[in-house]
Amino acid sequence: MPKSNIFTYGPILTMDEENSTVEAVGVIGKRIVAVGGLEEVRTAMPKDTELTDLAGRTMMPAFIDPHGHFPDSGFVENFRADLSAPPRGDCKTLKDVLARIKNKAAETSLGEWVMGAAFDETAIEEGRMPTRDELDEISRDHPIWVIHSSGHCGVANSAALSNQNIYEDTPDPLGGRYFRDENGKLNGYVEGLSAMGEMADTHFLIDREKFASSFSKTREEYLSHGVTLAQNSWTALPLLELFRDFAEQQDPGIDLVLLPVSEDEPEISRSGIAATWPSGEHITLGPRKLLTDGSFLMRTAYLSEPYFTGEDDGDPDCGLPYMEREVLFSEVQKLHDLGFQIHTHCNGDAASDMYLDAIDAALQTNPRQDHRHTIIHGQVMRQDQLMRCANLGVTVSFFPAHVFYWGDKHYSDFLGPERSQNISPAKWAEDAGVRFTIHNDAAVTPTRPLHLIHTAVNRKTLTGRVLGEHQRISALTAIRAHTIDAAWQVFQESERGSIEIGKLADFVILSRNPLEHASSLDLIKVDETVRRGVCVWKQQKQFD
């Protein structure tokens, strides 16, 4: 017989339609079988059922990652030099960054790649990227590649540029740029996924051993923060092949939704890896992924109005699209007609306009109910766009971590004091009736659900500035955005996301009730994570 258990003696937030708080939850095996008053639940359970005393702590559904890049954080820990600045890391100056890369090169065999990750020039003293020449001083025997924390640009040394066939006369591709000095020499700075090529995802550097080790480390990180369903939201073919090894396992220890890249369809579904994907329940293929623009940190988010500061050469600096409008329309129509849900990266409002236009056109030719096509990030969406989302049935996953990590830069540099008040406009979405989620986009910002919820509720920047008080949402709304709404956004609401009979017994046990501590949500601790009825992580002790 499967093990049975009753969780009780602490507030249990169900996140059901009524947002009920109950006394007890009964679990048999991996499923919830009873929810309600303690005596009611006892009656429904076998006589030998164990009892877990919450001791006044709060239990709620486990967190769901609505958008991220599992297991990227494990890659950084395992074989990339971590170049992150405070508060995420300790690289405060360019000298710190170059020293970290030099140390990595010293422990790497000659000729092999040296990669630095999580670099953010806006957070270091010099406020700039390293150069090709500075990386060449470290080594000309290693290809060296420093990727920005946004994932949308980086700097390469001479060996890396040569390895990727990038030369002085190489033309800029659509949606990308190779930067040069005043003499026309490449300075190593490469911007845009099309220009970075293989260096954008570095799949060629990831073998099965590195992937397995990174998977394990990232799984433990996520479980320690109460996340039991994660995403890899840009799963190109090389990663699909690596994930297949884990999909074929009986249980890899965490559940994942993978988002194959749009350009690989329909081939991978008709005759490729998706057509033969293992039928297990733990690692599944979800929406298909598109990318329309870049990053605010690189000023490549595509805006309808220019950036607040920057060079004035006569042309308004509004960023740039990564995809031509006609190509976007074609890709959306293709995926829509194939029956896929579509998740599309749109940082700027001009990018969101293009995507909404494409969805509108696709629905005109092929009406589909409940498609749940999704805007990812939607950082400066306007009220008219959110009303349009409601009319088109489009959902949004916001990136409120930007408020904390880069809100001050949005205020002073990217958007200015007025427009920055409305980054990640979750309250506007709520008022418009748009169902939405919130994410960290790990490893751009680390997977920390409680900190993310805290930021969405309080909207404080790194320096303590309140950015957009009118865009604050309640703790309850933010929690739902990271639990039941996140399950709904990938069509898994019947299996998880709330504590209801028949659903998976995935719970997080918190040190305090988040509904009673809205101003200090970031101080609440995850005491335990329960996955499929079994405790898989506990403060001071981890379970196999």
Side-chain angles (χ1 to χ4, degrees):
M1 286 287 294
K3 182 179 177 181
S4 59
N5 199 352
I6 294 175
F7 295 84
T8 190
Y9 300 135
I12 299 173
L13 313 180
T14 65
M15 298 299 131
D16 64 7
E17 287 188 8
E18 290 76 34
N19 295 313
S20 307
T21 299
V22 299
E23 285 186 325
V25 173
V27 173
I28 297 179
K30 65 182 182 180
R31 296 282 173 183
I32 300 167
V33 299
V35 179
L38 178 56
E39 292 309 312
E40 174 189 0
V41 171
R42 283 189 194 274
T43 301
M45 300 297 289
K47 294 189 181 301
D48 60 349
T49 297
E50 295 182 7
L51 188 145
T52 296
D53 185 350
L54 297 173
R57 299 171 301 170
T58 298
M59 189 171 88
M60 53 177 271
F63 296 116
I64 294 170
D65 171 25
H67 175 81
H69 299 275
F70 184 103
D72 268 18
S73 59
F75 294 156
V76 174
E77 186 173 347
N78 271 349
F79 62 93
R80 298 172 179 171
D82 183 357
L83 308 180
S84 55
R88 291 170 293 167
D90 56 7
C91 287
K92 299 178 181 179
T93 67
L94 199 55
K95 181 179 179 181
D96 297 335
V97 168
L98 295 173
R100 191 70 58 86
I101 298 169
K102 186 174 182 178
N103 290 340
K104 195 67 177 177
E107 62 187 41
T108 303
S109 300
L110 291 181
E112 292 188 4
W113 280 77
V114 172
M115 183 173 174
F119 176 76
D120 176 12
E121 87 286 1
T122 70
I124 63 169
E125 186 176 302
E126 294 83 356
R128 69 169 178 86
M129 304 285 282
T131 67
R132 168 187 181 176
D133 291 341
E134 287 170 329
L135 297 182
D136 281 348
E137 287 180 15
I138 292 174
S139 177
R140 288 179 174 271
D141 297 317
H142 299 91
I144 300 177
W145 171 239
V146 175
I147 194 165
H148 193 270
S149 61
S150 68
H152 287 262
C153 69
V155 179
N157 73 343
S158 297
L161 292 171
S162 177
N163 183 285
Q164 296 296 296
N165 297 313
I166 301 170
Y167 303 107
E168 309 300 336
D169 58 351
T170 301
D172 291 344
L174 176 68
R177 293 180 283 197
Y178 303 115
F179 285 72
R180 294 167 169 82
D181 62 21
E182 62 276 8
N183 298 316
K185 177 187 175 184
L186 292 169
N187 65 12
Y189 181 36
V190 181
E191 184 178 82
L193 302 189
S194 59
M196 290 190 287
E198 283 187 320
M199 296 188 296
D201 48 42
T202 63
H203 294 151
F204 67 102
L205 297 178
I206 305 168
D207 58 23
R208 277 179 158 75
E209 182 180 353
K210 288 178 178 177
F211 186 82
S213 175
S214 299
F215 188 106
S216 177
K217 287 181 182 295
T218 308
R219 177 186 62 213
E220 297 312 307
E221 177 196 3
Y222 278 51
L223 293 176
S224 73
H225 291 282
V227 178
T228 58
L229 176 64
Q231 277 195 22
N232 182 287
S233 54
W234 185 262
T235 322
L237 281 171
L239 272 188
L240 279 173
E241 293 289 354
L242 293 167
F243 273 116
R244 185 202 283 272
D245 292 347
F246 288 86
E248 290 173 344
Q249 294 180 15
Q250 185 174 0
D251 185 352
I254 192 168
D255 296 341
L256 296 169
V257 177
L258 310 181
L259 277 63
V261 177
S262 160
E263 64 188 29
D264 294 328
E265 292 293 356
E267 289 76 17
I268 65 167
S269 290
R270 289 179 176 169
S271 58
I273 190 170
T276 59
W277 193 257
S279 59
E281 60 183 324
H282 298 291
I283 301 182
T284 57
L285 304 184
R288 272 37 177 185
K289 182 69 181 294
L290 284 167
L291 194 75
T292 63
D293 68 344
S295 163
F296 274 99
L297 303 184
M298 304 344 305
R299 294 173 175 264
T300 51
Y302 187 33
L303 301 176
S304 61
E305 298 180 25
Y307 284 87
F308 183 63
T309 62
E311 297 180 6
D312 184 6
D313 58 3
D315 293 323
D317 178 13
C318 293
L320 72 160
Y322 276 12
M323 184 179 289
E324 292 178 339
R325 183 179 175 88
E326 303 76 40
V327 175
L328 176 63
F329 272 56
S330 175
E331 286 296 290
V332 167
Q333 190 75 59
K334 175 188 75 174
L335 296 172
H336 180 80
D337 289 347
L338 288 169
F340 293 120
Q341 183 189 13
I342 311 168
H343 280 203
T344 300
H345 168 117
C346 302
N347 258 320
D349 62 329
S352 294
D353 277 334
M354 283 203 312
Y355 181 46
L356 291 172
D357 287 348
I359 291 173
D360 197 354
L363 287 169
Q364 292 291 332
T365 60
N366 180 13
R368 265 179 60 190
Q369 296 297 316
D370 199 26
H371 51 76
R372 303 186 200 179
H373 297 327
T374 304
I375 289 176
I376 299 298
H377 306 323
Q379 292 215 60
V380 287
M381 291 189 74
R382 308 182 306 268
Q383 284 179 294
D384 65 289
Q385 291 179 319
L386 290 163
M387 294 299 297
R388 195 177 182 197
C389 285
N391 292 331
L392 293 172
V394 173
T395 176
V396 183
S397 188
F398 291 116
F399 192 0
H402 251 260
V403 173
F404 176 74
Y405 289 103
W406 296 288
D408 293 310
K409 290 292 292 183
H410 280 285
Y411 184 92
S412 65
D413 192 3
F414 303 141
L415 295 170
E418 184 177 344
R419 277 189 295 167
S420 64
Q421 305 297 325
N422 295 314
I423 60 173
S424 294
K427 191 65 174 72
W428 280 352
E430 185 177 34
D431 292 345
V434 175
R435 201 165 183 178
F436 65 88
T437 64
I438 56 176
H439 64 261
N440 266 303
D441 199 13
V444 176
T445 64
T447 298
R448 303 292 184 268
L450 287 164
H451 183 271
L452 180 68
I453 289 168
H454 175 83
T455 301
V457 171
N458 295 284
R459 292 187 66 95
K460 288 187 177 180
T461 70
L462 188 59
T463 62
R465 173 187 283 119
V466 175
L467 197 62
E469 185 171 359
H470 61 286
Q471 294 292 2
R472 286 173 165 172
I473 54 177
S474 69
L476 177 61
T477 298
I479 291 167
R480 289 185 66 89
H482 221 330
T483 55
I484 184 59
D485 294 339
W488 171 87
Q489 201 168 64
V490 287
F491 290 90
Q492 292 205 22
E493 71 272 22
S494 64
E495 276 285 285
R496 61 180 83 233
S498 62
I499 298 177
E500 299 181 81
I501 292 173
K503 290 193 176 185
L504 291 170
D506 282 14
F507 313 131
V508 60
I509 300 173
L510 304 176
S511 60
R512 292 192 292 180
N513 187 337
L515 300 184
E516 297 176 356
H517 298 276
S519 63
S520 56
L521 290 157
D522 56 334
L523 301 180
I524 297 174
K525 304 297 183 185
V526 172
D527 280 355
E528 297 183 42
T529 302
V530 176
R531 177 177 177 269
R532 296 174 182 253
V534 177
C535 181
V536 292
W537 191 88
K538 190 174 185 178
Q539 282 285 359
Q540 307 301 324
K541 185 176 182 181
Q542 296 182 34
F543 294 80
D544 294 331

